[in-house]
Amino acid sequence: MTLVNLTGIQAGDFSLLADDHSPEEGAAVAVPLSRLTDEGDDFFKVAGPVGAVLTTDTNHADLAPLMNKLAFVVVDFPAFGDGRGFSLAVRLRKDLGFKGEIRATGPVIPDQALFLLRAGFDTVEVADERAEAFKAALKRFDSFYQTDYTGQVSLAHARHKATEERKAS
Amino acid sequence: MYAYDKYDHALVNARVEEFRDQVNRRVKGELTEEEFRPLRLMNGLYLQLHAYMLRVAVPYGTLNGTQMRKLAHIARKYDKGYGHFTTRQNIQYNWPKLSETPDILQELADVEMHAIQTSGNCIRNVTTDQFAGATADEVADPRPYAELIRQWSTFHPEFSFLPRKFKIAITGADIDRAAVKWHDIGLVVKKNDAGEIGFEVLVGGGMGRTPVIAKTIRDFLPEKDLLSYLEAILRVYNEQGRRDNKYKARIKILVDALGADEYARQTEEEWQKIKDQPIDFPAEEAARIKAYFAPPPLQVLSDDVPAVDELAKKNFLFAAWLQNNTNQHKVPGHVNVTISLKPHGGIPGDATAEQMDLVAALADEYSQGELRISHEQNLILPHVAKKDLPAIWTDLDEAGLGIPNAGLLTDIIACPGLDYCSLANARSIPLAQQLGKRFDDFKRLQDIGPLKIKISGCINSCGHHHAGHIGILGVDRKGEENYQLLLGGSGAEDASKAAILGPGFDENGIIDAVEKVVAVYLGEREEGEEFLATYRRVGPQVFKEAVYDAR
Ligand code: HEM
Ligand code: SF4
């Protein structure tokens, strides 16, 4: 597997915590959300940076209590067509104000690279032979019709930027 | 008409290059068919019974003469010399070669066209009234909004992998010619008491095996809030729409499960959070786009044109065409002309390259260079001076396009059915052809009056049978093609679901049954009453007796 960095974030180096294991002291661990919600403060004290592994059917509201404890989030796509993963990333940025790394895992495809980036993902774990295609796909388009929650403003606004600035000054 | 700026051009060209790369990767085996499938679908490329099929978008059914000539050229060069205009105001080519599809897309991009999002589980080509901007009965031209939605929905980062396909329709007129109530989202342009423009918003309409008429979730949405509100609707659907069963994945099922009130509440709640972000178009952008749809410079002319009346007196077919195939334009002395693609015995919606070229030439000469495609699979010359009608009709008639049946019984919608489609139970096209032959008498058709027959080859309802005054549905009965008869549907502002009348028929039986239904109508109707009104007044029983008792 290769990690493709979409945003240039300092990508986390963590491992998946096995079901029946406790974290080693200071270890960066990714833990399924279902388990994290049951863990008490001790868990977070022992471990280093903790991230949640989310299934795409996660309700973002369930993440709210964990927000100040999570260093990163992994959204695990069961299939590339499961578009809930995109809304989940949007929710993390928009509703929960999450600033940490959001990583996509699972069978996402290179042609989704820009969609992932624009929905709020920072990194994608991909099969080695696909890394190049992912990077190429990132460069495919350079203007966009939608305002997103990563700071990209829609063409509808960009086209009139000069006018808007004039009005503001 | 909208014209691309440098950004639109760059996006569409980049898309062609992306698709060329995808096709290459598929041909080299780097992409499996399973992986290629959603990518080709997002570029309108289907795999059908015999070959690939390419669906090209005609955004909101508006195009110019140059674009129509390009469609003709593509039919000639890459297909078998014809194309099929669809119920979603698009055109389909049935025989393109996979390796040539990137070239087709490049040729389209050269005239500001594309096949983006004409299939796949994304927001599809927005459809609208074929007379938009040219009809007397409209609040405002809906096409600027359709274009704003087109842009907003193109390559949407969050909504390109929805549970299922998503169709939005918009109308600005009192008479709903866009079937907005049968769409995932329907928008009706309205003016409030203060004279401001806004939209009534409906959600959850759809056909398929669970036909549902959309419900209103907001009576008046201000114009400036359109995109953020749509985003809120789509987010609720993307998150909660069912993904475990393809037949329960459309928004109509979610709206039904939650209830329209709850759907409205969740949409409202989400919308409140985002409505002040720069998601919506700024006023300058709305103005920029509206300017492209400024009314064409038509002179006010007299509606009395003696030459037209004279020809109508002499020639019954012209008189019928004048009555059925022309609609009052908002500028006096002008009409919208419907060119019927429903010749008796022909394939509904098909046009040859030569016919497309002729229509393009007529548009350039008589209709401000503009053309439309209707969801009833006909072509429209939207801005025609009445005095030009005799010349236009003569040209059309010579090319087999002067058929005076718009809105009549033989103006049939039929899906591709078993002749092309791998999901079909039964053939649809031959049935439409049979009906055309059985009712090949324009005096009789004229007497029967407005009557919409819609035929689907299976329950997926591509032929809109649920919305037919007379609907015909192909089913499989022990391996035999069988047809169910439905009555009383409507796709218009008075939308209703057609109901099954009784047991199904074989191919000949269904044609006879339609004939009996028509006979009952002719017997029961009151002065000036159209088929649907009579059916609604007298109910199904008389029809049932006539169709089944005589068997
Ligand atoms: C021949 C290949 C085709 C196939 C395999 C196909 C397949 C389908 C399927 C599976 C559905 C049901 C979708 C759902 O309810 O989720 C559907 C609906 C529909 N299709 Fe097609 N279709 C084909 C051709 C066409 C054509 C040529 C047209 C236009 C003339 C068309 C227009 C529609 C429409 C209007 C619907 C109804 C949408 C609704 O349920 O609201 N289809 N099609
Ligand atoms: S209604 Fe059925 S038979 Fe007809 S085109 Fe759609 S899927 Fe095919």
Side-chain angles (χ1 to χ4, degrees), chain A residues 60 80-88 90-91 94-95 109-112 114-116 118-119 130 133 137 140-149 153-160 163-164 167, chain B residues 2 5 7-8 11 14-15 17-18 21-22 25 31 34-35 38-39 150-162 231 235 238-239 243 270 273-274 277-282 284-285 288:
Chain A
H60 71 281
F80 64 81
D82 190 340
R84 289 175 295 188
F86 295 91
S87 282
L88 196 49
V90 165
R91 292 286 196 183
K94 173 177 87 71
D95 294 70
I109 51 180
D111 312 271
Q112 292 176 311
L114 275 172
F115 293 161
L116 289 165
R118 300 192 57 219
R130 286 216 158 148
R140 193 125 261 155
F141 299 96
D142 54 14
S143 49
F144 304 97
Y145 284 127
Q146 311 79 14
T147 294
D148 63 28
Y149 299 93
V153 170
S154 74
L155 272 174
H157 287 271
R159 282 176 171 131
H160 306 280
T163 343
E164 283 182 16
K167 265 197 274 176
Chain B
Y2 185 66
D5 69 358
Y7 300 109
D8 302 310
L11 272 151
R15 177 61 156 201
E17 284 319 304
E18 180 183 45
D21 175 56
Q22 288 162 347
R25 274 155 58 208
L31 286 174
E34 197 203 344
E35 288 169 332
L39 306 176
R150 181 190 76 80
Q151 296 193 15
W152 164 79
S153 63
T154 297
F155 312 144
H156 198 287
E158 189 180 349
F159 305 135
S160 292
F161 299 90
L162 297 166
E231 179 173 315
R235 185 162 295 125
N238 192 40
E239 290 180 333
R243 289 171 189 266
E270 176 59 15
K273 289 195 273 183
I274 61 175
Q277 311 246 11
I279 295 164
D280 285 294
F281 47 84
E284 294 91 332
E285 179 68 353
R288 184 185 79 92

Side-chain angles (χ1 to χ4, degrees), chain A residues 49-66:
Chain A
V50 175
V53 181
L54 311 181
T55 51
T56 48
D57 60 359
T58 302
N59 184 339
H60 71 281
D62 296 342
L63 290 167
L66 288 170

Side-chain angles (χ1 to χ4, degrees), chain A residues 17-117:
Chain A
L17 186 66
D19 274 353
D20 44 3
H21 283 56
S22 306
E24 283 176 35
E25 199 167 327
V29 285
V31 187
L33 176 67
S34 51
R35 172 169 173 189
L36 267 191
T37 32
D38 295 337
E39 294 289 355
D41 285 348
D42 288 353
F43 181 93
F44 290 91
K45 264 185 217 143
V46 175
V50 175
V53 181
L54 311 181
T55 51
T56 48
D57 60 359
T58 302
N59 184 339
H60 71 281
D62 296 342
L63 290 167
L66 288 170
M67 268 303 106
N68 52 12
K69 296 182 182 163
L70 293 181
F72 59 92
V73 163
V74 178
V75 178
D76 189 31
F77 284 78
F80 64 81
D82 190 340
R84 289 175 295 188
F86 295 91
S87 282
L88 196 49
V90 165
R91 292 286 196 183
L92 277 160
R93 298 295 187 217
K94 173 177 87 71
D95 294 70
L96 301 168
F98 186 65
K99 298 280 193 305
E101 177 184 351
I102 307 181
R103 182 173 299 188
T105 59
V108 289
I109 51 180
D111 312 271
Q112 292 176 311
L114 275 172
F115 293 161
L116 289 165
L117 168 67

